[in-house]
Amino acid sequence: MRSSVIHRIGIGTDLHRLEAGRRLVLGGVEIAFEKGLAGHSDADVVLHALIDALSGAAGLPDIGEQFPDTDAAYRGADSGKLLAESMQRVRGLGYDVVNVDVVIHAERPKLSPHKDAIRRRVAELLSVAVEQVSIKAKTNEGQDAVGRGEAIAATVVAGLTLREAKTA
Ligand code: MG
């Protein structure tokens, strides 16, 4: 009997509008800023893109199908809880996280002082080592909605490995 390792890769993206009077939560970390992201839940674009990347890698439905925004249960929801629920499904299928690579697209606020806290929080939420998480921040050079500071977006790639995959 030899064991074979099965790797799966998933991608997720998300974008939310910036609005006055909302909290700004990115990767489970609240960031002091004059605006926050609008949405049904806490509108954490990083965790939403992360859920889609992990779910995609595991062959699960997208975040909208897993947590419908028509469901009052998810109004103002902590996206960390949605991620935990989603991760339970991913792990239930036998997958473990190899790594997640996150790009946050934001003109403002400046994210470099927050990248480390976001990295640590995402690792904690996934129960993985910080070395398995990468957080990058990019501006959009003043172009498009993100560049004009009207929205923040995220792109995430996630790698999973199937536990105890064995072939005879
Ligand atoms: Mg979203």
Side-chain angles (χ1 to χ4, degrees):
M1 185 137 109
R2 67 189 171 85
S3 61
S4 67
V5 180
I6 293 175
H7 290 293
R8 308 258 305 203
I9 291 170
I11 185 167
T13 69
D14 196 23
L15 178 148
H16 281 261
R17 281 181 302 105
L18 277 164
E19 215 174 74
R22 293 271 305 181
R23 295 185 312 138
L24 178 60
V25 184
L26 293 173
V29 175
E30 186 162 347
I31 293 168
F33 188 51
E34 69 214 34
K35 291 176 179 177
L37 294 172
H40 186 70
S41 65
D42 63 9
D44 187 330
V45 283
V46 173
L47 296 191
H48 292 184
L50 183 57
I51 289 169
D52 266 348
L54 293 162
S55 300
L60 287 166
D62 66 27
I63 186 172
E65 234 179 280
Q66 289 186 55
F67 309 104
D69 63 9
T70 47
D71 192 332
Y74 304 123
R75 190 183 305 276
D78 171 355
S79 296
K81 294 206 173 98
L82 305 185
L83 175 62
E85 235 179 90
S86 208
M87 268 312 293
Q88 220 171 355
R89 291 171 193 163
V90 169
R91 289 209 167 93
L93 291 170
Y95 292 106
D96 287 321
V97 175
V98 176
N99 74 306
V100 298
D101 195 3
V102 177
V103 182
I104 307 171
H105 313 272
E107 210 68 14
R108 285 179 61 235
K110 199 170 166 41
L111 293 178
S112 46
H114 305 288
K115 282 193 295 185
D116 195 51
I118 295 170
R119 186 185 191 202
R120 280 184 279 110
R121 183 65 185 140
V122 168
E124 185 179 42
L125 287 167
L126 294 174
S127 304
V128 300
V130 286
E131 291 75 20
Q132 290 168 273
V133 177
S134 159
I135 307 289
K136 294 180 283 247
K138 311 279 289 180
T139 69
N140 275 14
E141 295 281 329
Q143 304 302 300
D144 70 28
V146 169
R148 289 191 298 272
E150 296 165 6
I152 290 179
T155 306
V156 178
V157 170
L160 300 178
T161 185
L162 191 61
R163 239 175 283 132
E164 292 171 30
K166 289 189 171 78
T167 52

